[in-house]
Amino acid sequence: MVKITDVARRAGVSPSTVSYALSGKRPISEETRQRVEDAIRELGYRPHAGARALAGRRSNVLALVVPLRSGIHVPTVMQFAVSVVTTARRYDHDVLLLTQDEGEHGLTRVADTALVDALIVMDVQLDDPRLPLLRTLDLPSVLIGFPVSSEGLTCVDLDFRAAGEACVEHLARLGHRVVALVGSPPEVYVRQTAFAQSVVQGFTAAADRCGMSSTVHPCEPDAAREVAEQLLREQPALTGVVVHNEPLLQPLVDAFEQLGLRVPADLSVTAICPDELAESVRVPITSVALPSAEVGARAVELLMKKLDGTAVPESTLLPPRMTERASTGRRTVA
Amino acid sequence: MVKITDVARRAGVSPSTVSYALSGKRPISEETRQRVEDAIRELGYRPHAGARALAGRRSNVLALVVPLRSGIHVPTVMQFAVSVVTTARRYDHDVLLLTQDEGEHGLTRVADTALVDALIVMDVQLDDPRLPLLRTLDLPSVLIGFPVSSEGLTCVDLDFRAAGEACVEHLARLGHRVVALVGSPPEVYVRQTAFAQSVVQGFTAAADRCGMSSTVHPCEPDAAREVAEQLLREQPALTGVVVHNEPLLQPLVDAFEQLGLRVPADLSVTAICPDELAESVRVPITSVALPSAEVGARAVELLMKKLDGTAVPESTLLPPRMTERASTGRRTVA
DNA sequence: TTCCTTCGTCGAAGCGCTTCGACAGGCGTC
DNA sequence: GACGCCTGTCGAAGCGCTTCGACGAAGGAA
């Protein structure tokens, strides 16, 4: 293994000079820096991560806690994780993967052993048991999602409330008067996951504001047909649907069509989902994008600022971005 | 931060004794061990990961390289990753997440900086550019999937060839004579991904051996309808289908039914996919399980053995496990 | 009894890096 | 010209842990 003393000898300087040339924490003359860089290249030097972490009190590793529970959309999680890793690499950090099942112990462990410098926690619940811990831990952290109170924490997410509103308002502008929200599976609401509730709130508030009649339907991933039938039965005047349930989107559209409704002629459908998904449905769906990659990148950027000692806002709500596609149209008077 | 000297003082022993009590690398009297453990508990001691890595030349971290490319089934990857993390934790290791886009540099980097002790590489291609690197790197590694030659490497995977055979043989036993394989998207074959090719080989070989007529159809994820139509047009005598393409499974079954074929009365369908998926289709599918969790666990176990210095077999092929469900039946003579 | 082991513990020497204080030399200022 | 002040570099002191060699005590073999 080639170490810093080898580089120093080769460049004709002291190890500390090599270190400073690398970190830029003290001025080094251009000429010396060049010699050091050459030596590093020639010897193929790579600083030892453990030694660096020990002496520098920074491991340059972030922990990412991913959810495992049912009802979450796996590709979205994965896309998020990849974006976190990619962004972290741009800041010369690596990412340690933790699963939710180690729970709070996992967080304490990686924090206490100084394995990581900071934490990213996904799938935060309104009243998440990890919050007190995160508040006392002296590691910086960023949460994906919003608990009841984000006081003393840093949270990022799509503004789901605004997303719900945007869908309704879009339908309102198109003349629809009766709308339904087909939501996540019931267990997601029972868990009090913030984002699911926010959508409901935004949806309901906007519908009320626009004087529309609205209903909400939590829904299991394989219950497309039943929900479609139920909706038509209970709400014959329904002309607008908002879907906030990724795996259900395509089946639900299929079910409506099988029940004789044309999209968008008879029924306008909007969704809150990744753009990719919205575009892959047979009738491309007008949707508010679920920007996992952006959220991931943003989370890392916030964390880097915090590690620098820069203050960051407690909450970062990404504004919804709606893309009109083929699945929505003006209400045709029956 | 509480450190080993604090523990030592509290227990009335030297730091080295604490270290040995913890690692078990030298005999320690029961009484001393007890005092040390008490001190650790009382003080809440956690060894510093960096210091440990520096002195002990082991970071207790594994790198997991996950694929990002199109055509792979994301939930399967995720399930695999989770299983790797869970198993690694059982051996007191953590998992660093690397994405494929850092490529070989990522591997060299984490190896050279001694950030990790070992590597798990997913989505290996027949002629993977990373192979020479993995052979020369002195870190132990395990590959998921099989390249052309696994010489000097350690590879684990489902025995995809046998899986392909099992599907065909199952159909053969049921009296089917004309079968088709609906495979992964063309790009997967172009990339020479081993597992996809193995399925084709097994499928074809078994069909030949059984005197069946067989064809193979790589297929894009959204081309269900087209493929179904094409199959019926080009092979009117077709009565058995093997699907090796997760996202396509449900749509393909739907398409067949829409074309007037009942499953399994008119057409028997088998698949190679996660059990979970096979069970979630409207007609539960007879399938060979894609045991991501087992593969992940096995990969970690092999790695742990290698880290111990134990020799392990170069290739570990998990035998296919087939579960009969509702989608296959005896061929009804037309 | 003597000698050789084994057991249980300690002290000290590192692991490879960062960082602090020091200092030499060059510059601008009054 | 004396002074202070940057600029650029060095040496040394750790960071918290593991491990090696040493050593006293206890036990067994001869």
Side-chain angles (χ1 to χ4, degrees):
Chain A
M1 175 182 212
V2 27
K3 37 196 175 184
I4 201 169
T5 51
D6 301 329
V7 175
R9 199 175 316 116
R10 176 101 175 201
V13 298
S14 77
S16 53
T17 300
V18 175
S19 180
Y20 286 125
L22 241 34
S23 69
K25 293 191 180 174
R26 284 203 183 172
I28 294 290
S29 71
E30 187 45 40
E31 191 222 328
T32 306
R33 183 196 312 289
Q34 198 55 57
R35 283 218 314 286
V36 168
E37 275 168 18
D38 291 349
I40 288 179
R41 201 164 342 94
E42 287 160 24
L43 300 177
Y45 167 69
R46 283 285 175 75
H48 185 288
R52 219 215 261 252
L54 179 57
R57 324 171 139 277
R58 277 291 178 78
S59 67
N60 275 32
V61 175
L62 313 178
L64 172 65
V65 188
V66 300
L68 305 161
R69 304 182 297 193
S70 62
I72 52 147
H73 189 233
V74 179
T76 302
V77 172
M78 193 72 183
Q79 204 185 334
F80 177 85
V82 167
S83 148
V84 165
V85 172
T86 311
T87 312
R89 287 301 311 139
R90 273 212 287 285
Y91 291 91
D92 193 30
H93 282 245
D94 275 285
V95 175
L96 200 79
L97 192 60
L98 297 182
T99 58
Q100 202 116 271
D101 65 354
E102 244 199 304
E104 301 160 65
H105 296 308
L107 296 178
T108 337
R109 185 173 58 80
V110 296
D112 288 355
T113 58
L115 227 193
V116 306
D117 296 334
L119 307 167
I120 298 181
V121 179
M122 298 183 69
D123 194 28
V124 174
Q125 299 176 235
L126 279 176
D127 183 21
D128 202 295
R130 295 167 295 188
L131 299 185
L133 180 62
L134 291 174
R135 284 197 172 92
T136 59
L137 235 46
D138 43 16
L139 286 195
S141 57
V142 168
L143 313 195
I144 310 307
F146 281 81
V148 170
S149 156
S150 58
E151 175 119 29
L153 299 169
T154 306
C155 306
V156 200
D157 213 343
L158 171 64
D159 187 338
F160 277 97
R161 189 177 212 288
E165 290 175 342
C167 288
V168 171
E169 283 160 6
H170 176 74
L171 292 172
R173 275 194 302 278
L174 291 172
H176 298 275
R177 316 300 308 155
V178 180
V179 294
L181 171 67
V182 176
S184 304
E187 73 252 38
V188 173
Y189 295 95
V190 169
R191 275 204 309 260
Q192 304 243 327
T193 310
F195 76 95
Q197 309 230 337
S198 301
V199 170
V200 173
Q201 285 166 17
F203 171 84
T204 309
D208 289 355
R209 206 163 49 231
C210 300
M212 298 161 93
S213 144
S214 71
T215 51
V216 174
H217 309 260
C219 189
E220 296 290 354
D222 52 357
R225 183 71 184 217
E226 293 93 286
V227 163
E229 287 171 352
Q230 184 198 345
L231 282 173
L232 298 191
R233 186 167 4 98
E234 297 179 1
Q235 308 222 66
L238 182 75
T239 61
V241 173
V242 177
V243 182
H244 179 215
N245 184 327
E246 284 90 349
L248 202 69
L249 186 54
Q250 169 82 63
L252 192 64
V253 171
D254 290 349
F256 282 132
E257 299 200 324
Q258 279 164 32
L259 290 171
L261 292 177
R262 289 156 304 157
V263 174
D266 301 315
L267 191 68
S268 283
V269 176
T270 72
I272 302 171
C273 69
D275 274 338
E276 211 181 12
L277 210 196
E279 284 160 8
S280 79
V281 175
R282 202 152 32 250
V283 185
I285 305 291
T286 296
S287 72
V288 168
L290 211 59
S292 353
E294 278 145 61
V295 175
R298 187 62 77 89
V300 173
E301 284 156 11
L302 286 168
L303 225 33
M304 291 302 143
K305 283 225 179 89
K306 290 180 94 170
L307 284 170
D308 280 358
T310 314
V312 300
E314 286 192 343
S315 58
T316 302
L317 282 169
L318 303 184
R321 197 170 37 71
M322 174 164 247
T323 306
E324 216 170 324
R325 299 198 180 81
S327 67
T328 49
R330 290 209 67 77
R331 180 176 66 127
T332 50
V333 189
Chain B
M1 174 182 214
V2 27
K3 36 197 178 187
I4 201 169
T5 51
D6 301 329
V7 175
R9 198 173 319 115
R10 176 104 175 198
V13 298
S14 78
S16 53
T17 301
V18 175
S19 180
Y20 287 124
L22 242 34
S23 70
K25 292 191 180 170
R26 284 203 183 169
I28 296 288
S29 72
E30 186 45 39
E31 192 222 326
T32 305
R33 183 196 311 287
Q34 198 54 58
R35 283 217 315 286
V36 168
E37 275 169 16
D38 291 348
I40 288 178
R41 204 164 339 95
E42 288 161 22
L43 299 176
Y45 167 70
R46 285 286 176 74
H48 185 288
R52 219 215 260 253
L54 180 56
R57 318 164 151 282
R58 276 289 178 81
S59 66
N60 275 34
V61 175
L62 313 178
L64 172 65
V65 188
V66 300
L68 305 161
R69 303 183 295 193
S70 61
I72 52 144
H73 189 234
V74 178
T76 303
V77 172
M78 193 74 183
Q79 204 185 335
F80 177 85
V82 167
S83 149
V84 165
V85 172
T86 310
T87 311
R89 286 301 310 139
R90 272 212 288 285
Y91 290 91
D92 193 31
H93 282 244
D94 275 286
V95 175
L96 200 79
L97 191 60
L98 297 182
T99 57
Q100 202 117 271
D101 64 353
E102 246 199 301
E104 301 160 64
H105 296 309
L107 296 179
T108 340
R109 185 173 59 78
V110 296
D112 288 355
T113 59
L115 228 194
V116 306
D117 296 334
L119 306 167
I120 298 181
V121 180
M122 300 184 66
D123 194 28
V124 173
Q125 299 176 234
L126 279 177
D127 182 22
D128 202 293
R130 296 166 296 189
L131 299 184
L133 180 63
L134 291 173
R135 284 197 171 92
T136 58
L137 235 45
D138 43 16
L139 287 195
S141 56
V142 168
L143 314 193
I144 311 306
F146 282 80
V148 170
S149 156
S150 58
E151 174 119 31
L153 300 168
T154 306
C155 305
V156 198
D157 214 342
L158 170 64
D159 188 339
F160 277 97
R161 190 176 213 289
E165 289 174 345
C167 287
V168 171
E169 283 159 5
H170 175 74
L171 292 172
R173 275 194 301 277
L174 291 172
H176 299 275
R177 316 300 309 153
V178 180
V179 294
L181 170 66
V182 177
S184 304
E187 72 252 39
V188 173
Y189 295 95
V190 169
R191 276 205 307 262
Q192 304 241 326
T193 310
F195 76 96
Q197 310 230 337
S198 303
V199 170
V200 172
Q201 285 165 18
F203 171 84
T204 310
D208 289 356
R209 202 162 54 230
C210 300
M212 298 160 94
S213 143
S214 72
T215 52
V216 174
H217 309 260
C219 190
E220 296 290 353
D222 52 357
R225 182 72 184 218
E226 293 92 286
V227 164
E229 287 172 353
Q230 183 199 343
L231 283 174
L232 298 192
R233 186 169 0 98
E234 298 179 0
Q235 308 223 67
L238 182 75
T239 62
V241 173
V242 178
V243 182
H244 179 215
N245 183 328
E246 285 92 346
L248 203 69
L249 185 55
Q250 169 81 63
L252 192 65
V253 171
D254 291 349
F256 282 132
E257 299 201 324
Q258 279 165 33
L259 291 171
L261 293 176
R262 288 157 304 156
V263 174
D266 303 315
L267 191 67
S268 283
V269 176
T270 74
I272 302 171
C273 69
D275 273 338
E276 210 182 13
L277 209 197
E279 283 161 8
S280 78
V281 175
R282 202 154 29 252
V283 184
I285 305 290
T286 295
S287 72
V288 168
L290 211 59
S292 354
E294 280 145 60
V295 175
R298 186 63 78 89
V300 172
E301 284 156 11
L302 287 167
L303 225 33
M304 291 301 143
K305 284 222 180 90
K306 290 180 93 170
L307 283 170
D308 281 357
T310 313
V312 300
E314 287 191 344
S315 57
T316 303
L317 281 170
L318 303 184
R321 195 170 38 72
M322 176 164 248
T323 306
E324 212 169 328
R325 300 198 179 83
S327 67
T328 48
R330 291 211 67 77
R331 180 174 67 128
T332 51
V333 189

